[in-house]
Amino acid sequence: MSQEKTAEINLVVSGRYLVTDSQNVLEQENISVAVSKDRIVEIGDNLAVKYPQAQCLSHAHGLIMPGLINTHTHAAMSCFRGLADDLPLMEWLQEHIFPREAQLTSEIVYQSTLLSLCEMIRSGTTSFNDMYLFAKDVARAAAASGVRAWVGEVLYDFPSPNYGELENGFTYTEDLFEQYAGDDLITVTVNPHSVYTCSPSLLERMAAQAEEKQALYHIHLAENQDEVHTCTERYQCSPVQHLETLGLLNERVVAAHGVMVTEEEIKLLVERRVKIAHCPESNMKLASGVAPVPAMLAKELVVGLGTDGSASNNDVDMFGEMNSAAKLHKVDQMDPTVMNATQTLHAATLGGAAVLGAEAAIGTLAVGKKADLIMLDMNQPHLTPVYNPVSHLVYTAGGGDVFHSVINGQVVMENRQITTLDEVAIFTEMKRIGEMIQRMGQ
Ligand SMILES: [Zn+2]
């Protein structure tokens, strides 16, 4: 057990199982994590007794683990959940999503992001990487919730319902960087939508902005066969080769999907230190294909998990995403040994942190790291008996099993009650927005 001499202990979280990372599990009565301000300062036995003045979140059958990290989502798309399903990607986008996105407002994005944040907190996500329109409203919602967020305004060649002409998109992003400079919870990123919606010059200009700001370059890449066809027609090469030719593959790139990548391209992505946000449920629902994640992991490419938006998933529950990821690769490879529980939990925690360049701060529970942690109630029929907690986390648990959540040392959910957001007000507002969105299609 380790300890750091520090200031006052504000919070002690105490349970029966402690998953410090995907490979280390302790089982012990009253195993505890002590938090001072935003950091973990001590891990040990029965710390609630040692620090009686601290707030205590305790459960006799509790499992304490790092909060889950969603490396690719569009939180505000919760407003389109279930609006149109079971359609080919282009028909879905062009007939149902794009016409409505064109009518989005700052307020719809703010409220819809709040709704997703409620769902994220309730299902154990403590960090998310978002790409969407009206990113200032996404950031404002994230800040209100206390959830750690990477946020960027999506840019493409055509005018945006948010900023209008492309040039204004750069100014908007500049404002975001200024507004959140040095913020503890919000990190601003640069978000070109994709190689098929952004010209080479736009991709290059945004890369220069990412370089100047030392920011992540978050892009959809090699999502499906259509993207490869379009790219091949226009540039005579694959999406990955296109970015390579432009000299844009580097350690800042967070590539969402990476479904259509060859063995050679995986090697190139490793060499260029590109990171992958793997979104298996979205890839399944839109029939995009299966990302070669076992091959990526074998070559030590950094892979995190993401839900993508709620219109193509249709939720942001990272426990569900782990379950799907582990099973999808087994059936795809016809090999039950691939994408095992440890690898899958790693992708949803420390792997995700590494995708975001934040592995020194989050992704595991250790003294000195940020206090981003969740507790699950293991005293439930589907989680009994417990032979291997990591197996349960990947194959059995769901977001509804999470009952406490702490982010940056702040308790954001206690006994399944969100402390930072008014859920009743958000649901009421979203019902009104839902009716509005329904009418947009008429
Ligand atoms: Zn996406």
Side-chain angles (χ1 to χ4, degrees):
M1 297 297 145
S2 44
Q3 182 176 358
E4 201 177 62
K5 288 275 168 242
T6 66
E8 200 183 334
I9 307 293
N10 313 104
L11 174 70
V12 171
V13 183
S14 183
R16 184 178 187 87
Y17 307 92
L18 178 70
V19 177
T20 54
D21 60 61
S22 58
Q23 300 191 45
N24 289 291
V25 181
L26 288 168
E27 182 182 351
Q28 186 183 316
E29 249 176 68
N30 295 314
I31 184 79
S32 329
V33 175
V35 175
S36 177
K37 293 184 181 138
D38 58 338
R39 291 193 187 268
I40 297 170
V41 291
E42 188 173 346
I43 293 176
D45 183 28
N46 220 350
L47 298 178
V49 170
K50 187 172 173 185
Y51 303 109
Q53 82 292 351
Q55 179 185 358
C56 184
L57 300 178
S58 149
H59 193 295
H61 304 276
L63 179 147
I64 307 164
M65 63 177 286
L68 301 174
I69 298 171
N70 187 344
T71 58
H72 177 71
T73 190
H74 316 281
M77 290 188 84
S78 60
C79 67
F80 300 130
R81 177 183 2 239
L83 180 68
D85 301 298
D86 310 324
L87 293 171
L89 176 64
M90 279 306 147
E91 184 183 339
W92 175 70
L93 276 176
Q94 285 170 357
E95 289 181 24
H96 300 277
I97 300 300
F98 287 161
R100 287 178 168 94
E101 280 190 336
Q103 299 175 65
L104 281 180
T105 63
S106 155
E107 192 52 23
I108 295 176
V109 169
Y110 177 66
Q111 292 294 341
S112 307
T113 305
L114 286 178
L115 183 72
S116 263
L117 284 158
C118 291
E119 195 190 340
M120 286 185 213
I121 293 172
R122 286 189 163 278
S123 54
T125 292
T126 54
S127 288
F128 71 111
N129 182 30
D130 199 84
M131 172 197 284
Y132 211 53
L133 303 155
F134 298 93
K136 287 180 189 172
D137 301 291
V138 175
R140 185 161 63 95
S145 73
V147 175
R148 196 178 297 283
W150 278 255
V151 174
E153 179 72 13
V154 66
L155 266 61
Y156 31 57
D157 292 328
F158 26 94
S160 148
N162 175 24
Y163 53 77
E165 292 306 312
L166 179 56
E167 199 53 41
N168 304 331
F170 283 93
T171 323
Y172 188 92
T173 302
E174 284 289 332
D175 287 351
L176 262 179
F177 276 113
E178 203 169 299
Q179 198 177 340
Y180 290 99
D183 195 279
D184 223 14
L185 285 173
I186 312 281
T187 305
V188 177
T189 62
V190 172
N191 291 354
H193 177 266
S194 64
V195 299
Y196 58 96
T197 50
C198 298
S199 67
S201 64
L202 177 56
L203 293 171
E204 285 169 343
R205 191 171 163 200
M206 292 185 79
Q209 189 180 34
E211 184 67 32
E212 185 204 327
K213 304 290 183 189
Q214 305 278 295
L216 294 178
Y217 187 81
H218 179 197
I219 184 169
H220 292 111
L221 189 68
E223 180 171 356
N224 62 16
Q225 199 59 56
D226 278 350
E227 179 180 337
V228 176
H229 283 150
T230 307
C231 195
T232 307
E233 258 174 42
R234 283 188 209 162
Y235 310 111
Q236 295 75 52
C237 62
S238 73
V240 170
Q241 287 157 352
H242 181 53
L243 288 189
E244 169 67 1
T245 308
L246 294 171
L248 302 182
L249 292 179
N250 59 47
E251 73 282 359
R252 302 199 178 289
V253 177
V254 174
H257 302 299
V259 171
M260 297 292 162
V261 295
T262 64
E263 281 280 325
E264 281 306 304
E265 288 175 341
I266 293 173
K267 278 189 214 157
L268 179 66
L269 294 172
V270 173
E271 255 171 59
R272 298 283 182 258
R273 293 188 289 159
V274 169
K275 322 293 191 302
I276 299 290
H278 172 44
C279 306
E281 291 191 350
S282 171
N283 297 158
M284 287 193 276
K285 185 159 185 273
L286 295 172
S288 300
V290 182
V293 171
M296 290 172 175
L297 294 178
K299 294 193 168 53
E300 299 189 346
L301 186 58
V302 176
V303 177
L305 284 187
T307 58
D308 211 352
S310 276
S312 64
N313 184 303
N314 286 357
D315 60 53
V316 290
D317 182 347
M318 287 286 291
F319 280 97
E321 208 67 36
M322 284 199 285
N323 192 311
S324 296
K327 291 173 182 168
L328 172 64
H329 296 291
K330 292 177 202 309
V331 72
D332 180 58
Q333 302 280 301
M334 293 302 280
D335 178 355
T337 68
V338 301
M339 204 65 190
N340 64 38
T342 302
Q343 288 173 310
T344 307
L345 182 61
H346 178 85
T349 52
L350 190 59
V355 166
L356 301 173
E359 67 274 28
I362 57 173
T364 61
L365 301 184
V367 169
K369 278 195 137 177
K370 294 280 189 180
D372 286 16
L373 55 93
I374 57 176
M375 193 195 277
L376 280 75
D377 175 7
M378 300 297 275
N379 193 30
Q380 302 190 69
H382 61 292
L383 301 173
T384 303
V386 183
Y387 301 115
N388 172 2
V390 172
S391 162
H392 277 4
L393 293 176
V394 172
Y395 294 115
T396 320
D401 300 322
V402 178
F403 71 99
H404 297 320
S405 177
V406 176
I407 304 175
N408 210 39
Q410 181 185 16
V411 179
V412 298
M413 181 169 73
E414 185 172 357
N415 296 316
R416 290 204 63 73
Q417 184 71 44
I418 297 179
T419 61
T420 49
L421 300 173
D422 179 351
E423 281 188 292
V424 175
I426 293 166
F427 294 173
T428 306
E429 196 53 26
M430 280 313 294
K431 281 171 193 150
R432 189 183 64 79
I433 287 172
E435 285 161 14
M436 228 159 77
I437 285 173
Q438 186 101 48
R439 283 196 301 274
M440 283 177 183
Q442 290 162 0

